[in-house]
Amino acid sequence: MSVSLSKGGRVSLSKEAPGLKNIIVGLGWDANATDTGAEFDLDASVFLVGTDGKVLTDSHFIFYNNATSPCGAIVHQGDNRTGEGDGDDEVIEIDLDKVDAAVDKIIFTVTIDEAESRNQNFGQVNNALIRILNKDGGSVITQYELDEDYSSETAINFGELYRKNGSWNFKAVGAGFNDGLAGFCKTYGVSV
Ligand SMILES: [Ca+2]
Ligand SMILES: [Ca+2]
């Protein structure tokens, strides 16, 4: 049975799915009817941070152009340019046992490509969702629908996996920011 989370909610993956090894993290969204006159491309990115809250190295910033983590455990499955259709628009697969022991948190963000020049924000996005599935069998372990109106934000932290007492937990974060992907890179210490 899957657990639906509200903003700030937390769940223990090992409690919900004992023996869990491989997960699929699906992030979904739809552009609403507003015609922005330009392509509307949302991108999922992942930051692998240590206990200091910073990426272990720049290679621990995972996105469609750096799709696999140095430990090989986290793989971004590719860029979706439109978000059209229901369900997961961008997907990240994780082999939990293989995640580098120095990784304390796995942070899932979604940002709007070229948001500033295209004058776009999350107020033009509907049905934002993050969900975690057991790759073995495909059952949904937990999901979080971001139901706030992010009217000016261009970057959202959807959720985080974090270690606690040797097992993985998920937190529904839903925190919006105005400074795009560059803002997250700065926050988590990526030097690009
Ligand atoms: Ca994309
Ligand atoms: Ca969609």
Side-chain angles (χ1 to χ4, degrees):
M1 204 174 79
S2 86
V3 178
S4 286
L5 296 174
S6 305
K7 181 170 177 166
R10 298 164 190 258
V11 68
S12 161
L13 298 190
S14 52
K15 241 182 230 170
E16 294 304 319
L20 184 66
K21 287 203 177 312
N22 294 284
I23 61 169
I24 296 170
V25 180
L27 300 105
W29 52 78
D30 294 321
N32 68 21
T34 311
D35 182 4
T36 61
E39 217 181 340
F40 198 77
D41 181 15
L42 273 62
D43 295 323
S45 305
V46 184
F47 296 86
L48 308 174
V49 306
T51 50
D52 63 354
K54 304 293 182 191
V55 290
L56 303 189
T57 70
D58 285 350
S59 303
H60 291 81
F61 162 45
I62 310 300
F63 64 113
Y64 59 85
N65 229 2
N66 177 42
T68 304
S69 64
C71 56
I74 295 126
V75 183
H76 192 305
Q77 303 294 309
D79 188 19
N80 174 304
R81 303 294 296 272
T82 66
E84 280 171 15
D86 291 341
D88 305 329
D89 292 307
E90 294 192 11
V91 167
I92 292 113
E93 293 195 4
I94 303 178
D95 182 338
L96 293 172
D97 292 343
K98 279 198 195 155
V99 177
D100 188 323
V103 173
D104 186 55
K105 256 187 203 174
I106 303 173
I107 299 163
F108 302 93
T109 68
V110 177
T111 54
I112 303 173
D113 189 32
E114 307 284 348
E116 207 166 316
S117 62
R118 293 173 180 169
N119 198 22
Q120 296 169 337
N121 60 59
F122 271 90
Q124 296 157 324
V125 175
N126 290 339
N127 306 327
L129 173 81
I130 181 169
R131 57 186 201 146
I132 296 178
L133 294 82
N134 188 342
K135 193 179 172 188
D136 179 19
S139 61
V140 179
I141 300 166
T142 187
Q143 63 176 9
Y144 165 44
E145 291 172 40
L146 289 76
D147 50 8
E148 277 181 40
D149 181 27
Y150 299 95
S151 55
S152 65
E153 285 86 345
T154 56
I156 296 185
N157 176 338
F158 272 40
E160 301 176 350
L161 286 170
Y162 62 99
R163 292 188 198 267
K164 193 180 176 193
N165 302 330
S167 64
W168 287 103
N169 293 250
F170 177 74
K171 179 181 180 189
V173 177
F177 302 91
N178 298 315
D179 43 5
L181 186 57
F184 282 131
C185 287
K186 197 175 167 197
T187 299
Y188 301 125
V190 178
S191 58
V192 290

PDB file of all heavy atoms in Angstrom, residues 41-43 79-80 90, ligand 1:
ATOM      1  N   ASP A  41      10.146  23.741 -20.988  1.00  0.00           N
ATOM      2  CA  ASP A  41      10.922  22.534 -20.703  1.00  0.00           C
ATOM      3  C   ASP A  41      11.344  22.507 -19.247  1.00  0.00           C
ATOM      4  O   ASP A  41      12.141  23.332 -18.810  1.00  0.00           O
ATOM      5  CB  ASP A  41      12.156  22.510 -21.624  1.00  0.00           C
ATOM      6  CG  ASP A  41      13.024  21.273 -21.409  1.00  0.00           C
ATOM      7  OD1 ASP A  41      12.531  20.311 -20.778  1.00  0.00           O
ATOM      8  OD2 ASP A  41      14.164  21.273 -21.890  1.00  0.00           O
ATOM      9  N   LEU A  42      10.776  21.553 -18.495  1.00  0.00           N
ATOM     10  CA  LEU A  42      11.173  21.366 -17.103  1.00  0.00           C
ATOM     11  C   LEU A  42      12.220  20.260 -17.016  1.00  0.00           C
ATOM     12  O   LEU A  42      12.143  19.284 -17.758  1.00  0.00           O
ATOM     13  CB  LEU A  42       9.957  20.990 -16.249  1.00  0.00           C
ATOM     14  CG  LEU A  42       9.148  22.170 -15.697  1.00  0.00           C
ATOM     15  CD1 LEU A  42       8.571  23.004 -16.815  1.00  0.00           C
ATOM     16  CD2 LEU A  42       8.051  21.675 -14.780  1.00  0.00           C
ATOM     17  N   ASP A  43      13.171  20.442 -16.104  1.00  0.00           N
ATOM     18  CA  ASP A  43      14.260  19.478 -15.974  1.00  0.00           C
ATOM     19  C   ASP A  43      14.406  19.017 -14.531  1.00  0.00           C
ATOM     20  O   ASP A  43      14.513  19.836 -13.618  1.00  0.00           O
ATOM     21  CB  ASP A  43      15.593  20.118 -16.404  1.00  0.00           C
ATOM     22  CG  ASP A  43      15.595  20.468 -17.886  1.00  0.00           C
ATOM     23  OD1 ASP A  43      15.024  19.707 -18.684  1.00  0.00           O
ATOM     24  OD2 ASP A  43      16.187  21.504 -18.241  1.00  0.00           O
ATOM     25  N   ASP A  79      16.158  13.279 -20.694  1.00  0.00           N
ATOM     26  CA  ASP A  79      15.449  14.545 -20.759  1.00  0.00           C
ATOM     27  C   ASP A  79      14.099  14.393 -21.453  1.00  0.00           C
ATOM     28  O   ASP A  79      14.004  13.760 -22.492  1.00  0.00           O
ATOM     29  CB  ASP A  79      16.329  15.541 -21.542  1.00  0.00           C
ATOM     30  CG  ASP A  79      15.796  16.956 -21.506  1.00  0.00           C
ATOM     31  OD1 ASP A  79      14.980  17.272 -20.619  1.00  0.00           O
ATOM     32  OD2 ASP A  79      16.217  17.754 -22.369  1.00  0.00           O
ATOM     33  N   ASN A  80      13.069  14.961 -20.838  1.00  0.00           N
ATOM     34  CA  ASN A  80      11.767  15.077 -21.490  1.00  0.00           C
ATOM     35  C   ASN A  80      11.565  16.564 -21.760  1.00  0.00           C
ATOM     36  O   ASN A  80      11.730  17.387 -20.864  1.00  0.00           O
ATOM     37  CB  ASN A  80      10.680  14.523 -20.560  1.00  0.00           C
ATOM     38  CG  ASN A  80       9.277  14.740 -21.106  1.00  0.00           C
ATOM     39  OD1 ASN A  80       8.868  15.854 -21.394  1.00  0.00           O
ATOM     40  ND2 ASN A  80       8.533  13.665 -21.241  1.00  0.00           N
ATOM     41  N   GLU A  90      10.165  12.694 -16.106  1.00  0.00           N
ATOM     42  CA  GLU A  90      11.591  12.357 -16.021  1.00  0.00           C
ATOM     43  C   GLU A  90      11.773  11.392 -14.851  1.00  0.00           C
ATOM     44  O   GLU A  90      11.075  11.491 -13.833  1.00  0.00           O
ATOM     45  CB  GLU A  90      12.460  13.614 -15.896  1.00  0.00           C
ATOM     46  CG  GLU A  90      12.376  14.458 -17.180  1.00  0.00           C
ATOM     47  CD  GLU A  90      13.407  15.575 -17.295  1.00  0.00           C
ATOM     48  OE1 GLU A  90      14.353  15.633 -16.496  1.00  0.00           O
ATOM     49  OE2 GLU A  90      13.253  16.389 -18.227  1.00  0.00           O
TER      50      GLU A  90
HETATM   51 CA    CA B   1      13.306  18.389 -19.536  1.00  0.00          CA
END
